Amino acid sequence: MAGGGNAIRGSRVGAGPMGEAERGDAAPRQAVTYFCAREHRSVVPFSTEAQVPDSWDCPKCGLPASLDSDNPPPAPKIEPYKTHLAYVKERRSDKEAEDILDEALSLLRTRRKSGDIIF
């Protein structure tokens, strides 16, 4: 019995005897250069028929990049994560919080005195 061979060893999917000629000519392209705030220069190929966007995310650092090398867009301000308490403090003053707490405590005390079970 002969060794089990693989008929497609050394080949890649889509590769044929003629290579690119079999698939046709590639679409004409243009190279567009974008610049980010960290002075990275990214060259992105686009079809000549495509509309080139004004901004592009820098593949090196992720910051927004633009076509203008002298005035790249600034890095976006990242807001820190806010807790639920921080959002509540934005909506309520300290006086309002004390009033709500006092009201909740008095309601709790009256329920305990009356024998209601609270879960």
Side-chain angles (χ1 to χ4, degrees):
M1 182 188 250
N6 190 345
I8 60 171
R9 176 178 282 180
S11 301
R12 62 184 170 90
V13 176
M18 298 178 64
E20 287 293 323
E22 185 178 280
R23 287 179 276 224
D25 295 330
R29 301 197 179 272
Q30 60 180 330
V32 179
T33 305
Y34 290 94
F35 304 91
C36 76
R38 291 191 181 157
E39 299 181 2
H40 293 140
R41 181 176 169 255
S42 305
V43 179
V44 182
F46 287 99
S47 169
T48 55
E49 299 173 2
Q51 182 179 357
V52 176
D54 293 333
S55 65
W56 193 262
D57 289 340
C58 177
K60 294 175 184 153
C61 64
L63 292 176
S66 70
L67 300 168
D68 187 3
S69 63
D70 296 329
N71 298 315
K77 291 186 178 181
I78 298 173
E79 296 289 329
Y81 174 77
K82 287 187 182 178
T83 63
H84 177 70
L85 181 60
Y87 283 111
V88 170
K89 286 183 175 182
E90 285 180 0
R91 294 191 311 263
R92 308 256 190 240
S93 68
D94 289 341
K95 177 67 176 137
E96 287 174 318
E98 286 180 29
D99 293 343
I100 292 171
L101 179 61
D102 290 339
E103 182 181 329
L105 288 174
S106 65
L107 179 63
L108 183 63
R109 288 180 184 124
T110 58
R111 285 186 182 170
R112 282 192 178 168
K113 286 180 184 175
S114 67
D116 291 343
I117 299 174
I118 301 172
F119 291 101

